[in-house]
Amino acid sequence: MALNLPAYRPARNTQILRYLAFAGMILIAPLFFVGGPGWSDGPLFKSAWNLGHILFFALLTLAIQPWRIWTGWTLWGIGTLAVLLLGTGIELLQHGTSRQMDWQDILRNQVGVWTILALRPRASLTRKSRPVVWPLRLIVAALLAAEIGATARVAIQQYHVSQLLPALYDFRQPDPSPFWDGVIAPVTDHAIDTHKRALRISLSTAHYSGVSLHNLPEDWRDYDRLVIDLYNPQDHPLPMILRINDMEHDLGDNNYNDRFNTRLPLTPGPNQFKLDLDRIKAAPESRSMNMQAIRRLILFTVALPEPKTLYLRDIRLE
């Protein structure tokens, strides 16, 4: 015997989907202005957070359902323009908060609305325009895949970082910028046999000049010493300073006495420094450094009279 299903069931399902989209959109909207990645958060969290732009504008499109008013290229044009204006407004408003403007977010916003429009039957285009439906869907799919793929690549990168120990950096990396801040470049000059490569650090006459390793294995608990190999190509000593801090310090008030600081006097030629991790752990004045959450390692100098160069040849735990 055939079942007589209510005719209103598809419409009811559509309404439920719309209400859920509204609810999700309302929950996500405040996150444009509060919360979110801080300067101390890792690259994977920041990359995953960016996907929220796609999700929000996809939910917004599902909630508003602009195809009830427009169709065809009018729908695509008005939808794109509206999201462009809204996204630009959000970025400008964020400029007045602790959040930073990122104009690539505007593209992510568009990917969100385009994804929903492309999934509509026949891409909501007229019969004359239907030959472009699949190419259009492929373009939108490629943009969506590029954004998700970027986050996936960061996830793979961070997995490799977590597996580096006892090394703190992989000198085989062709581009150090995802790991280091500062003027630093891979070279084969002054490399040691272990890596066949070194990192050239260029120091300026700024009051503080140096490099910061901000993307590194965080858990140092199973090791006893930090080993740093540096090469000073100058014919005179070069005074350097090493700073190490944990996540708690990053989230604090940057108190000098809440981190590890020590001088590294570089003589001409190769220099190796071995530092006991117990000394680093005990460095904060009113607490112990969290050796499970090391966040940043900085090599810098102060007020050089002229630009200098040095080479980092190895950095590891043992």
Side-chain angles (χ1 to χ4, degrees):
M1 182 174 66
L3 294 175
N4 295 318
L5 296 176
Y8 61 83
R9 179 67 61 84
R12 183 181 179 185
N13 291 341
T14 300
Q15 282 298 102
I16 292 174
L17 178 62
R18 189 182 182 194
Y19 293 148
L20 290 174
F22 261 119
M25 185 186 68
I26 291 170
L27 289 173
I28 295 173
L31 300 180
F32 281 111
F33 306 102
V34 296
W39 81 288
S40 61
D41 289 308
L44 180 56
F45 180 51
K46 294 176 181 178
S47 183
W49 185 271
N50 287 334
L51 296 179
H53 287 264
I54 298 174
L55 176 60
F56 175 82
F57 281 90
L59 291 174
L60 178 63
T61 307
L62 284 171
I64 295 177
Q65 297 183 1
W67 48 83
R68 297 181 305 155
I69 305 172
W70 303 288
T71 58
W73 292 117
T74 302
L75 170 63
W76 281 79
I78 291 177
T80 299
L81 179 60
V83 169
L84 176 63
L85 294 174
L86 179 57
T88 301
I90 290 173
E91 295 301 317
L92 292 174
L93 288 173
Q94 286 180 341
H95 186 58
T97 68
S98 59
R99 304 283 296 277
Q100 292 183 342
M101 289 191 297
D102 182 356
W103 295 108
Q104 192 173 351
D105 287 340
I106 293 179
L107 175 60
R108 297 186 183 104
N109 301 341
Q110 299 291 358
V111 172
V113 65
W114 290 340
T115 298
I116 300 303
L117 294 183
L119 290 174
R120 292 287 301 162
R122 303 187 183 88
S124 298
L125 297 175
T126 62
R127 183 174 298 178
K128 292 181 180 180
S129 303
R130 286 175 189 171
V132 303
V133 168
W134 282 106
L136 189 61
R137 285 176 172 171
L138 290 174
I139 292 171
V140 173
L143 291 170
L144 181 61
E147 292 294 335
I148 296 174
T151 299
R153 287 192 296 273
V154 172
I156 294 170
Q157 168 191 284
Q158 294 312 110
Y159 172 76
H160 288 316
V161 168
S162 70
Q163 302 300 307
L164 277 176
L165 289 172
L168 295 182
Y169 176 71
D170 183 359
F171 284 80
R172 297 170 298 179
Q173 290 288 342
D175 178 15
S177 63
F179 311 91
W180 295 85
D181 286 330
V183 184
I184 189 167
V187 293
T188 55
D189 305 10
H190 307 295
I192 57 178
D193 292 340
T194 305
H195 306 303
K196 307 298 183 183
R197 286 190 181 188
L199 291 174
R200 183 178 61 233
I201 300 171
S202 299
L203 303 170
S204 72
T205 56
H207 187 70
Y208 297 110
S209 178
V211 293
S212 171
L213 179 59
H214 58 82
N215 190 3
L216 73 167
E218 299 177 345
D219 191 349
W220 294 14
R221 292 174 299 172
D222 294 334
Y223 299 89
D224 300 317
R225 284 176 298 277
L226 168 65
V227 181
I228 303 177
D229 275 294
L230 294 163
Y231 186 91
N232 175 14
Q234 281 77 216
D235 59 2
H236 53 270
L238 181 61
M240 296 296 298
I241 299 171
L242 171 66
R243 164 186 162 175
I244 299 172
N245 66 262
D246 59 5
M247 178 64 77
E248 184 173 338
H249 178 84
D250 257 15
L251 298 175
D253 57 4
N254 200 34
N255 190 328
Y256 178 86
N257 294 320
D258 189 55
R259 60 183 184 242
F260 175 78
N261 304 274
T262 192
R263 296 184 180 276
L264 301 179
L266 271 65
T267 59
N271 295 259
Q272 184 179 85
F273 300 93
K274 292 190 175 184
L275 303 164
D276 287 340
L277 295 190
D278 285 342
R279 179 183 167 198
I280 296 173
K281 181 178 180 179
E285 188 174 61
S286 59
R287 63 184 183 90
S288 293
M289 188 174 296
N290 186 352
M291 303 305 287
Q292 191 178 358
I294 300 298
R295 187 64 190 88
R296 209 171 301 276
L297 183 152
I298 304 175
L299 288 165
F300 68 100
T301 190
V302 180
L304 287 175
E306 59 183 6
K308 304 289 184 182
T309 299
L310 73 149
Y311 296 86
L312 176 63
R313 308 195 304 172
D314 196 14
I315 183 165
R316 68 183 190 276
L317 302 176
E318 61 178 28

